[in-house]
Amino acid sequence: MATKRRYLPLASTRHLEKMMTKYYALSRYHRLWGKPLKRPLAWITSGAPVELLRAFNIHPVYPENYGAICGTRRVSTDLCQVAEAAGYSQDLCSYARSHIGSILRPDLAPMGGLPKPPDMLVCCTNICGTVLKWYEALARIFNVPLLVLDTPFLPGDLTAHARQYVLEQLKEMVTALERLTGRPLNRDELNRQLARSSETIRLWKEIRQLCRATPSPLNAPDLFIHMAPIVTLRGTRQAVDYYRRLKDEVKQRVQQGQGAVEGEKIRLVWDNIAIWYQIFGFFKMFSQQGACFVTDTYSGGWVMELSPGDPLESMAATYTEIFLNRSPEFRARQMIELIQDYKADGFVMHSNRSCKPYSLVQEVIRRRVMQQTGVPGLVVEADMTDQRVYAEEPIRNRVQAFLETVGGL
Ligand code: SF4
């Protein structure tokens, strides 16, 4: 029988909300004044080398982050249906469908959609192949330049050849950005951007590591909400300041023995993107029974080391080694390490209908991880933003049965 448990809110959330509101307001400002001020607006994929754009004074906006906003505000299904009516398949990623729907029907979209048109599109294939087709569609809609960074899938470790292939494209991207902005690459500024990115990543990593404490100071919804700046503001002073503040708060929780979930009894690892429209409802099924998601693979995707040295070479390696661009063996190892490091009792995988590269190999990974760690793993079928795929009762029953197995509840 579940007891009512208190969920501890983070004071930093207020600052996060203010910062993200300011970021989107600034994006509108860039749409209006970017051209005369020579500060263009780019729509960019989450795994693209944003530091390079920022070094050219280009303001980046992330349709994927916007897709997540549509999900939390529960308008994605309507926007997806708009895109589907325009001929985009229901099998496409729901971030892409929500975003395209928001362009076609801004009246249904949060904030009236992203500021448009973008001055350019920047797409990196390290997260999936879908983004390429999505951005090609955007380039056709707005008739603006599309810059593509193609990162080869890594079945094993990064090879010199793969690194060189990406490096050459980065050099071409520099030439294209010089042409589009009318200014040369400022290498000092690029180094500053990379240094701030590294600092942000280091802080995010330390915050996540603080969750090795028992009880864990954060639960998965905290990690999902507070990862927004590392995606959208990586490379900025605001992101560094924000994660310093968050780290202080999380550290204080650890020192005071405060857990995100009152009376933590079960520690779990989450795999895949959040179910945004159920971000609190879904995890409440767990937290009400004393189960806390102490870490995850999704927000952990931004803990990537930017190696020192030549900035373009460093970016070529880092952005090719993104975990979604790696083999099932790599991902299984990563999950095993998380379970061991965070002393987890089990793991839950969101089989996300939208995100094929994340979801298709999960069963292979699940079996391997269970075999090597001895902890149980549950697969829950849903979609990150399209609510039509979420079946409340079957999910609730499976979660209950899983928690009984893990914790004898
Ligand atoms: S398919 Fe997956 S990785 Fe690609 S854009 Fe959609 S959610 Fe992101």
Side-chain angles (χ1 to χ4, degrees):
M1 181 79 183
T3 44
K4 231 179 167 39
R5 284 185 160 85
R6 198 170 55 94
Y7 191 83
L8 200 58
L10 282 160
S12 302
T13 306
R14 273 200 318 277
H15 297 279
L16 175 76
E17 283 165 1
K18 271 193 209 151
M19 192 166 66
M20 294 309 291
T21 304
K22 199 168 156 196
Y23 163 71
Y24 276 105
L26 193 65
S27 304
R28 294 205 175 274
Y29 173 85
H30 271 266
R31 177 57 287 139
L32 288 173
W33 297 105
K35 269 208 175 116
L37 294 174
K38 291 198 184 319
R39 301 181 73 179
L41 181 80
W43 287 0
I44 172 172
T45 58
S46 61
V50 67
E51 295 84 0
L52 188 57
L53 270 72
R54 289 195 183 276
F56 277 100
N57 231 340
I58 295 168
H59 182 78
V61 174
Y62 294 82
E64 290 155 71
N65 178 256
Y66 184 73
I69 292 174
C70 295
T72 48
R73 301 219 188 152
R74 301 186 174 184
V75 295
S76 283
T77 305
D78 288 347
L79 294 171
C80 285
Q81 282 170 331
V82 170
E84 287 157 25
Y88 294 93
S89 163
Q90 197 181 336
D91 289 327
L92 279 174
C93 163
S94 58
Y95 280 170
R97 280 178 289 141
S98 301
H99 180 231
I100 291 170
S102 76
I103 296 165
L104 300 173
R105 285 290 306 273
D107 56 312
L108 299 178
M111 302 177 277
L114 289 180
K116 58 180 182 290
D119 296 308
M120 67 185 80
L121 299 158
V122 181
C123 165
C124 180
T125 59
N126 55 1
I127 49 171
C128 65
T130 300
V131 287
L132 186 59
K133 293 292 147 196
W134 175 4
Y135 276 59
E136 280 175 358
L138 298 175
R140 279 196 300 274
I141 294 171
F142 294 109
N143 192 24
V144 293
L146 166 62
L147 309 186
V148 176
L149 187 68
D150 178 41
T151 50
F153 180 75
L154 299 182
D157 289 335
L158 176 67
T159 60
H161 176 76
R163 183 177 168 136
Q164 193 61 30
Y165 172 70
V166 179
L167 178 61
E168 292 307 322
Q169 292 176 75
L170 277 171
K171 288 178 185 167
E172 283 170 22
M173 195 176 270
V174 169
T175 310
L177 290 172
E178 287 179 336
R179 183 170 39 79
L180 289 168
T181 60
R183 60 170 77 95
L185 170 63
N186 181 339
R187 288 206 165 242
D188 292 340
E189 184 54 32
L190 178 59
N191 284 328
R192 275 193 289 277
Q193 292 291 337
L194 285 167
R196 283 199 290 263
S197 268
S198 293
E199 175 72 353
T200 315
I201 290 164
R202 184 184 63 74
L203 287 162
W204 183 235
K205 190 175 177 177
E206 286 170 3
I207 291 164
R208 293 171 54 79
Q209 285 175 343
L210 285 167
C211 298
R212 292 193 285 204
T214 305
S216 170
L218 300 177
N219 189 12
D222 304 314
L223 294 167
F224 296 145
I225 289 168
H226 292 272
M227 68 184 272
I230 205 157
V231 180
T232 55
L233 292 163
R234 199 166 66 249
T236 66
R237 172 58 47 205
Q238 298 103 288
V240 174
D241 292 345
Y242 178 72
Y243 284 116
R244 281 201 186 123
R245 173 194 289 273
L246 181 63
K247 187 183 151 193
D248 287 346
E249 188 179 359
V250 175
K251 207 169 167 183
Q252 202 179 8
R253 278 190 176 185
V254 174
Q255 283 160 353
Q256 295 173 352
Q258 280 184 325
V261 171
E262 194 181 11
E264 177 191 291
K265 287 197 288 188
I266 298 172
R267 296 169 66 84
L268 299 170
V269 178
W270 173 263
D271 184 56
N272 215 310
I273 302 174
I275 304 171
W276 292 113
Y277 45 88
Q278 281 287 347
I279 186 153
F280 294 109
F282 178 84
F283 288 107
K284 203 169 164 192
M285 287 190 277
F286 294 85
S287 60
Q288 288 295 308
Q289 305 219 34
C292 180
F293 284 87
V294 295
T295 192
D296 72 303
T297 57
Y298 177 46
S299 71
W302 275 265
V303 178
M304 60 229 194
E305 308 282 343
L306 281 158
S307 48
D310 177 81
L312 292 186
E313 280 182 22
S314 167
M315 284 193 293
T318 305
Y319 283 102
T320 309
E321 288 179 318
I322 294 278
F323 81 104
L324 273 181
N325 204 34
R326 309 297 295 265
S327 65
E329 291 72 30
F330 176 92
R331 283 171 51 190
R333 266 201 313 277
Q334 188 189 45
M335 180 73 102
I336 291 165
E337 278 168 21
L338 288 178
I339 287 168
Q340 290 167 346
D341 277 5
Y342 287 75
K343 299 195 172 35
D345 306 299
F347 60 99
V348 177
M349 298 177 123
H350 167 204
S351 175
N352 178 356
R353 192 176 190 279
S354 269
C355 191
K356 278 76 175 174
Y358 217 147
S359 309
L360 283 179
V361 291
Q362 274 175 317
E363 190 48 35
V364 175
I365 297 172
R366 186 178 81 101
R367 271 192 246 130
R368 192 160 305 175
V369 174
M370 282 175 54
Q371 202 178 41
Q372 290 191 24
T373 61
V375 305
L378 170 73
V379 175
V380 172
E381 283 165 15
D383 186 279
M384 59 203 179
T385 64
D386 190 341
Q387 289 174 252
R388 288 172 290 181
V389 180
Y390 190 79
E392 175 83 34
E393 269 320 299
I395 287 179
R396 189 171 286 283
N397 292 338
R398 298 193 67 200
V399 167
Q400 184 56 40
F402 174 70
L403 289 175
E404 282 167 12
T405 309
V406 183
L409 293 170

